[in-house]
Amino acid sequence: MKKLLYFVFAWMLSLEVTAQTRNDSIIFKVNDNGVFKTETGTNYYVIPFAGKKAHDLYNDILCRLAKLYKSPEKVTEKIVEDSAIIVNAQVNELVETKSRVREWFDFFYRFEFNFKDGKIRVNAPDIIGGRIRMGVRTLQHASFYPNNFVLTKLIKDDARKVPIVEKYLNDILTYILYGNPEDENW
């Protein structure tokens, strides 16, 4: 009986250690001011990758960006080799409202990744412009507005769409950081 309890305890401890070394999802939430924050209130995550050099982490992210975007060279800026990557991209997201009227919420977003040996810092996404189209009505939010203007306007107009935007961006960030296990097994 003692051996079984010891085994279960050791197994649970190993699960806890594994859970601490790899966070399988990135979760940024939009606050009332239209700014993305983590659950602890910061605007970034530092994700550990024990034993990996900054160069290897940098190349891993570049490979995933190449798989994710049709023209990765057009959306990525390699600010400093092996140190930083910025992604500027656009999404055309279809949203269906309760009244079965379809709306498009188009927006431009920005991700920033910084690399050091054994860790990646991922900053909260920025929405840097967009528009909401419903039928013939178009509400344009150009990039010269403050970064959080688009989301504050969306929160005010239809807050039900905010979780769709959060999920979309968080899913992309999670894929960029961790990849898809099926992609690795070839």
Side-chain angles (χ1 to χ4, degrees):
M1 182 69 171
K2 278 186 175 181
K3 286 182 181 179
L4 179 62
L5 287 175
Y6 177 74
F7 176 74
V8 170
F9 177 72
W11 177 69
M12 290 175 68
L13 185 60
S14 71
L15 286 178
E16 182 66 26
V17 169
T18 303
Q20 289 177 356
T21 58
R22 178 179 168 150
N23 178 5
D24 283 332
S25 61
I26 301 298
I27 301 172
F28 286 107
K29 295 282 187 184
V30 176
N31 65 18
D32 292 339
N33 297 327
V35 176
F36 284 95
K37 297 282 184 179
T38 66
E39 292 172 347
T40 60
T42 63
N43 63 350
Y44 64 90
Y45 279 103
V46 176
I47 300 163
F49 290 91
K52 289 199 115 182
K53 296 284 186 196
H55 174 76
D56 297 330
L57 295 169
Y58 179 87
N59 284 334
D60 289 347
I61 296 299
L62 283 179
C63 287
R64 290 189 196 112
L65 291 171
K67 291 177 186 174
L68 185 62
Y69 296 101
K70 291 178 184 175
S71 300
E73 68 282 354
K74 291 183 181 177
V75 299
T76 57
E77 299 173 34
K78 298 168 207 118
I79 300 302
V80 179
E81 187 78 22
D82 295 342
S83 292
I85 298 173
I86 293 177
V87 175
N88 289 304
Q90 176 183 1
V91 63
N92 298 321
E93 186 68 17
L94 178 65
V95 178
E96 191 168 332
T97 62
K98 285 184 178 179
S99 62
R100 296 189 177 255
V101 175
R102 290 187 172 201
E103 293 185 4
W104 287 93
F105 178 49
D106 307 334
F107 60 92
F108 298 91
Y109 61 90
R110 175 187 166 105
F111 297 144
E112 184 177 338
F113 303 93
N114 295 289
F115 304 89
K116 288 188 178 179
D117 287 347
K119 59 187 170 184
I120 298 175
R121 175 183 164 145
V122 56
N123 291 341
D126 284 326
I127 304 260
I128 50 177
R131 63 185 173 177
I132 300 168
R133 292 180 284 150
M134 186 174 82
V136 294
R137 178 182 152 253
T138 299
L139 182 58
Q140 182 76 31
H141 306 290
S143 59
F144 54 80
Y145 289 116
N147 285 352
N148 62 350
F149 180 80
V150 175
L151 282 176
T152 53
K153 188 66 177 159
L154 186 64
I155 290 167
K156 186 191 253 185
D157 289 351
D158 190 353
R160 292 174 296 134
K161 293 187 182 91
V162 173
I164 295 168
V165 174
E166 290 172 342
K167 181 178 178 351
Y168 184 87
L169 294 176
N170 287 327
D171 287 350
I172 291 174
L173 282 171
T174 299
Y175 174 79
I176 292 170
L177 288 166
Y178 299 114
N180 182 355
E182 293 174 6
D183 292 346
E184 307 302 323
N185 296 327
W186 50 276

